Amino acid sequence: MSDPVTFVNVIDVDPSRQQEVIDLLTEGTEKVVSRRPGFVSVTLLASLDRTRVVNVARWRSADDVRATQADPEAAEYARRTATLAQASPGLYTVVGEFTP
């Protein structure tokens, strides 16, 4: 079995459309992404200046992420997001985590 991965997508958006992007990501997560095999969690972050949204999704494996990206329903949400904002997605592995 593969190691867990974190999908991070930093999305640059016009401040007037930040909430629209958040709503679209929320809908896509609830209707499609959260039901995919290997899904662990999603955290959405909104910059205080309203110019970015960061989507942090944890998955069991990189294969699970790739399968989700190939799913037509998930791809449609990615396409819709791209019409609203500029996305910079990537896969990461945790190399350090610190708590008090």
Side-chain angles (χ1 to χ4, degrees):
M1 182 162 152
S2 300
D3 291 330
V5 295
T6 302
F7 172 83
V8 178
N9 195 358
V10 178
I11 303 165
D12 292 308
V13 61
D14 183 282
S16 67
R17 301 197 91 172
Q18 186 191 52
Q19 188 59 51
E20 193 174 351
V21 170
I22 292 167
D23 293 344
L24 183 59
L25 293 171
T26 299
E27 178 184 319
T29 299
E30 290 174 345
K31 290 185 175 181
V32 179
V33 175
S34 65
R35 299 166 192 229
R36 297 285 308 164
F39 173 79
V40 176
S41 69
V42 162
T43 300
L44 296 177
L45 306 170
S47 67
L48 295 179
D49 66 2
R50 302 181 57 80
T51 63
R52 286 197 178 98
V53 177
V54 180
N55 178 0
V56 181
R58 295 186 187 257
W59 293 87
R60 279 194 324 239
S61 73
D63 288 340
D64 293 325
V65 175
R66 286 189 281 275
T68 297
Q69 290 172 324
D71 177 88
E73 285 184 289
E76 177 62 18
Y77 278 98
R79 186 198 63 74
R80 288 171 60 194
T81 300
T83 67
L84 299 173
Q86 178 65 42
S88 299
L91 282 178
Y92 298 81
T93 185
V94 175
V95 295
E97 194 164 0
F98 308 91
T99 60

